[in-house]
């Protein structure tokens, strides 16, 4: 892998090799095109979100490849839409419910699909902050 493990974002350090490899390869390619910096990192995360989803403080392989939210779907240099922070907002409500169950999110049984996405994103952000010691 072109990037050192310690140089990876902390959520990727806690993730399976497939997520680390996807991010690192996409970032290396983006740096060749755009140079080092934020644009290369955003491009790498976009590639990662097509194959993995954020669950808690790490990334897990998605059941089906594809964009994770309306922002990832629009793509390009100036994407539109909104980001779900790595949560696969395009997944079925059943899948989102299972992830909410995995993270022990209270009230999940009564939530709409959009509410599940929001709750998963908030819980993932909380777990990431907790894992980082923030």
């Amino acid at each position: 892998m072109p990037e050192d493990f310690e140089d990876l974002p902390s959520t990727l350090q806690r993730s399976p090799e497939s997520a680390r490899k996807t991010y690192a390869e996409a970032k290396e390619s983006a740096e060749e095109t755009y140079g080092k910096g934020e644009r290369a990192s955003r491009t790498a995360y976009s590639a990662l979100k097509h194959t993995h989803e954020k669950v808690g403080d790490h990334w897990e392989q998605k059941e089906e490849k594809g964009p994770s939210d309306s922002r990832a779907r629009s793509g390009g240099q100036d994407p539109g839409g909104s980001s779900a922070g790595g949560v696969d907002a395009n997944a079925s409500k059943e899948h989102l419910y299972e992830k909410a169950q995995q993270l022990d999110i209270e009230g999940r049984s009564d939530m709409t699909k959009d509410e599940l996405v929001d709750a998963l994103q908030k819980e993932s952000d909380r777990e990431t902050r907790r894992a980082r010691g923030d």
Side-chain angles (χ1 to χ4, degrees), residues 55-56 60 92-111 115-117 119-120 123-124 127:
V55 180
E60 295 180 2
S92 68
K93 183 178 178 184
E94 179 182 2
H95 175 81
L96 296 168
Y97 178 83
E98 289 171 5
K99 294 300 175 185
Q101 196 172 26
Q102 180 180 341
L103 296 175
D104 199 27
I105 294 175
E106 291 185 27
R108 61 188 174 266
S109 297
D110 298 323
M111 292 182 184
E115 289 170 334
L116 284 166
V117 169
L120 285 164
E123 184 58 26
S124 291
E127 288 201 18

Side-chain angles (χ1 to χ4, degrees), residues 6-63:
E6 294 80 22
D7 292 339
L8 289 171
S10 62
T11 56
L12 283 160
Q13 290 177 13
R14 293 184 290 277
S15 300
E17 182 179 353
S18 63
R20 295 190 305 263
K21 184 177 179 183
T22 298
Y23 177 86
E25 289 177 353
K27 187 171 182 194
E28 181 179 45
S29 176
E31 286 176 345
E32 289 174 8
T33 303
Y34 308 120
K36 292 185 183 245
E38 185 180 336
R39 188 169 181 192
S41 293
R42 283 195 321 262
T43 301
Y45 269 116
S46 179
L48 178 67
K49 290 177 181 182
H50 275 70
T51 57
H52 293 76
E53 63 185 318
K54 190 161 182 240
V55 180
D57 67 346
H58 65 282
W59 295 83
E60 295 180 2
Q61 186 114 20
K62 289 172 33 173
E63 293 177 10

Side-chain angles (χ1 to χ4, degrees), residues 66-95:
S68 59
D69 52 41
S70 59
R71 186 175 190 92
R73 187 180 307 117
S74 70
Q77 183 174 347
D78 190 23
S82 59
S83 172
V87 173
D88 189 4
N90 291 326
S92 68
K93 183 178 178 184
E94 179 182 2
H95 175 81

